[in-house]
Amino acid sequence: IAGITQAPTSQILAAGRRMTLRCTQDMRHNAMYWYRQDLGLGLRLIHYSNTAGTTGKGEVPDGYSVSRANTDDFPLTLASAVPSQTSVYFCASSPTAAQPYEQYFGPGTRLTVT
Amino acid sequence: QKEVEQNSGPLSVPEGAIASLNCTYSDRVSQSFFWYRQYSGKSPELIMSIYSNGDKEDGRFTAQLNKASQYVSLLIRDSQPSDSATYLCAVSKRNGAGGTSYGKLTFGQGTILTVHP
């Protein structure tokens, strides 16, 4: 089934640990995105990638890094997790980096940093 | 002023009624407009997109856009209990310039809709 997969589904992580959230899409979409969703703050963009080999910073990039080695994969890394990074993380993709910019979301990863 | 504002809700309607969800946006250069549905514990699902003024219908859903008033709405006809969810309005535009620009989606806070039997 075409779509976006994310792993893990949920994770409890000790503060200070390194963690990589995985995102894979099989729709051959050029653009990919990482969001976090927090109660009262809505969806906020962490990082984006317009095409394989390029990445950029969104609204809340501090503490996170991404890479885009190929079209399908867009991992998000927390180098040293802090409790404020407790959130639900969604990966999204868009067919192109051009208009109309509609995005399709993966199932999410629920991360708890203790 | 928030970039995208939705009626705060929660909105409760009886089964079979029309649910009306509203959204206003502040940036006149906004280019495309979307409605996402998010069930509790799930990810946002794109249900409607609209790009030009007027109405766009898809099954029981109608999206309405008025760029002059910076207003977009979603009507759900013959509401069903399965429509109970949070509805997110999203507005897109090109953000930045040159090599660092990207298509930015700005989301509203969402309106919780409950359809009761």
XYZ file of all heavy atoms in Angstrom, chain A residues 99-100, chain B residues 25 30-35 48-57 62-73 90 92:
265
model
N 3.810 24.727 -6.055
C 2.391 24.799 -5.692
C 1.674 23.539 -6.118
O 2.039 22.898 -7.105
C 1.765 26.013 -6.370
C 2.245 27.330 -5.837
C 1.410 28.467 -6.400
O 0.192 28.473 -6.315
N 2.084 29.412 -7.006
N 0.581 23.161 -5.434
C -0.103 23.881 -4.373
C 0.376 23.536 -2.964
O -0.194 24.031 -2.001
C -1.557 23.455 -4.567
C -1.450 22.062 -5.078
C -0.224 22.012 -5.931
N -7.647 33.704 7.603
C -6.197 33.754 7.516
C -5.764 35.190 7.302
O -6.508 36.020 6.790
C -5.680 32.851 6.394
C -6.202 33.187 5.026
C -5.483 34.004 4.163
C -7.428 32.698 4.583
C -5.959 34.319 2.901
C -7.921 33.001 3.335
C -7.193 33.817 2.493
O -7.676 34.141 1.248
N -1.376 34.144 0.600
C -1.660 32.714 0.709
C -2.214 32.194 -0.599
O -3.016 32.861 -1.259
C -2.656 32.462 1.839
O -2.122 32.890 3.063
N -1.784 31.003 -0.974
C -2.059 30.540 -2.332
C -3.012 29.369 -2.417
O -3.784 29.259 -3.356
C -0.729 30.160 -2.990
C 0.191 31.345 -3.169
C 1.628 30.927 -3.429
O 2.182 30.109 -2.721
N 2.218 31.513 -4.446
N -2.913 28.457 -1.447
C -3.737 27.255 -1.493
C -4.281 26.993 -0.105
O -3.666 27.369 0.892
C -2.911 26.049 -1.960
O -2.305 26.312 -3.202
N -5.410 26.294 -0.070
C -6.128 26.147 1.191
C -6.600 24.704 1.326
O -7.079 24.109 0.354
C -7.317 27.122 1.222
C -6.888 28.524 0.930
C -6.788 28.977 -0.377
C -6.539 29.386 1.964
C -6.350 30.263 -0.666
C -6.105 30.672 1.686
C -6.006 31.101 0.381
N -6.443 24.169 2.527
C -6.714 22.756 2.730
C -7.490 22.540 4.021
O -7.362 23.295 4.986
C -5.386 21.974 2.826
C -4.456 22.219 1.667
C -3.441 23.151 1.764
C -4.601 21.514 0.495
C -2.582 23.397 0.702
C -3.752 21.743 -0.581
C -2.742 22.690 -0.468
N -8.261 21.464 4.021
C -8.887 20.979 5.245
C -8.378 19.571 5.517
O -8.387 18.708 4.630
C -10.412 20.971 5.119
C -11.005 22.331 5.241
C -11.400 23.162 4.239
C -11.280 23.028 6.460
N -11.893 24.334 4.753
C -11.827 24.276 6.115
C -11.102 22.726 7.820
C -12.224 25.228 7.071
C -11.487 23.663 8.755
C -12.040 24.897 8.384
N -9.908 17.941 1.796
C -10.352 18.899 0.790
C -9.222 19.884 0.507
O -8.484 20.271 1.398
C -11.567 19.681 1.260
C -12.871 18.913 1.268
S -13.476 18.529 -0.390
C -14.102 20.133 -0.890
N -9.145 20.301 -0.739
C -8.243 21.374 -1.116
C -9.009 22.337 -2.008
O -9.898 21.919 -2.753
C -7.023 20.825 -1.859
O -7.421 20.073 -2.985
N -8.703 23.611 -1.919
C -9.368 24.612 -2.748
C -8.380 25.709 -3.063
O -7.602 26.122 -2.193
C -10.656 25.132 -2.065
C -11.439 26.056 -3.005
C -10.357 25.806 -0.738
C -12.869 26.328 -2.540
N -8.391 26.161 -4.312
C -7.362 27.096 -4.751
C -7.932 28.408 -5.303
O -7.204 29.399 -5.399
C -6.494 26.449 -5.838
C -6.031 25.061 -5.491
C -6.302 23.992 -6.336
C -5.330 24.816 -4.320
C -5.882 22.713 -6.011
C -4.903 23.536 -3.992
C -5.175 22.485 -4.844
O -4.763 21.229 -4.520
N -9.207 28.407 -5.688
C -9.787 29.621 -6.265
C -11.097 29.940 -5.566
O -11.722 29.071 -4.932
C -10.002 29.440 -7.767
O -10.781 28.306 -8.031
N -11.526 31.185 -5.683
C -12.752 31.625 -5.025
C -13.947 30.796 -5.465
O -14.045 30.370 -6.611
C -13.020 33.096 -5.361
C -12.150 34.033 -4.554
O -11.790 33.750 -3.423
N -11.808 35.161 -5.152
N -14.849 30.583 -4.518
C -16.068 29.866 -4.834
C -16.198 28.607 -4.000
O -15.585 28.484 -2.941
N -17.006 27.702 -4.497
C -17.300 26.464 -3.802
C -16.669 25.289 -4.531
O -16.571 25.279 -5.762
C -18.814 26.231 -3.730
C -19.520 27.266 -2.883
O -18.846 28.149 -2.323
O -20.762 27.182 -2.778
N -16.284 24.290 -3.744
C -15.802 23.030 -4.317
C -16.450 21.903 -3.526
O -16.343 21.859 -2.307
C -14.276 22.928 -4.227
C -13.726 21.623 -4.770
C -12.218 21.561 -4.629
C -11.678 20.226 -5.118
N -10.195 20.137 -4.938
N -17.137 21.032 -4.247
C -17.878 19.968 -3.593
C -17.209 18.619 -3.854
O -16.745 18.334 -4.957
C -19.314 19.949 -4.127
C -20.245 18.976 -3.416
C -21.684 19.119 -3.898
O -22.152 20.260 -4.070
O -22.331 18.078 -4.116
N -18.201 20.294 1.274
C -18.088 21.466 0.414
C -17.126 22.446 1.053
O -17.320 22.833 2.204
C -19.446 22.150 0.193
O -20.344 21.244 -0.441
C -19.287 23.398 -0.683
N -16.101 22.815 0.313
C -15.191 23.856 0.766
C -15.566 25.157 0.066
O -15.937 25.156 -1.107
C -13.751 23.490 0.453
N -15.493 26.259 0.803
C -15.813 27.567 0.254
C -14.634 28.500 0.518
O -14.100 28.513 1.628
C -17.081 28.121 0.921
C -18.313 27.257 0.704
C -19.511 27.746 1.507
O -19.378 28.114 2.668
N -20.679 27.722 0.885
N -14.263 29.264 -0.493
C -13.135 30.175 -0.365
C -13.539 31.568 -0.809
O -14.144 31.742 -1.876
C -11.949 29.701 -1.200
C -10.728 30.616 -1.270
C -10.120 30.823 0.112
C -9.693 30.060 -2.241
N -13.199 32.551 0.001
C -13.410 33.953 -0.339
C -12.107 34.679 -0.035
O -11.818 35.012 1.119
C -14.565 34.537 0.477
C -14.876 35.968 0.099
O -13.987 36.757 -0.215
N -16.147 36.326 0.126
N -11.311 34.895 -1.058
C -9.998 35.500 -0.852
C -10.104 36.962 -0.438
O -9.262 37.462 0.299
C -9.142 35.353 -2.100
C -8.683 33.927 -2.365
C -7.694 33.874 -3.512
C -7.186 32.460 -3.721
N -6.186 32.381 -4.818
N -11.110 37.660 -0.906
C -11.268 39.074 -0.532
C -11.504 39.207 0.963
O -10.983 40.119 1.622
C -12.414 39.705 -1.315
N -12.263 38.298 1.521
C -12.545 38.311 2.960
C -11.550 37.467 3.746
O -11.626 37.410 4.977
C -13.964 37.801 3.220
O -14.917 38.611 2.578
N -10.638 36.786 3.036
C -9.622 35.934 3.673
C -10.298 34.902 4.564
O -9.964 34.756 5.753
C -8.612 36.804 4.423
C -7.823 37.692 3.472
C -6.879 38.634 4.181
O -6.956 39.844 4.017
N -5.989 38.097 4.972
N -11.197 34.187 3.946
C -12.074 33.287 4.693
C -12.226 31.986 3.912
O -12.416 32.001 2.696
C -13.427 33.985 4.833
C -14.533 33.197 5.458
C -14.755 33.234 6.825
C -15.399 32.443 4.671
C -15.801 32.546 7.405
C -16.440 31.740 5.243
C -16.645 31.800 6.598
O -17.677 31.114 7.169
N -12.119 30.868 4.627
C -12.353 29.571 4.014
C -13.198 28.740 4.981
O -13.014 28.835 6.195
C -11.019 28.877 3.653
C -10.145 28.686 4.862
C -11.248 27.571 2.945
N -14.131 27.988 4.442
C -15.004 27.207 5.303
C -15.153 25.791 4.758
O -14.842 25.507 3.597
C -16.373 27.870 5.432
O -17.036 27.856 4.184
N -5.618 24.582 6.860
C -4.208 24.837 6.546
C -4.123 25.743 5.327
O -4.885 25.595 4.367
C -3.462 23.537 6.309
N -1.367 27.642 2.581
C 0.004 27.494 2.092
C 0.459 28.717 1.310
O -0.328 29.459 0.734
C 0.131 26.254 1.213
O -0.411 26.483 -0.062
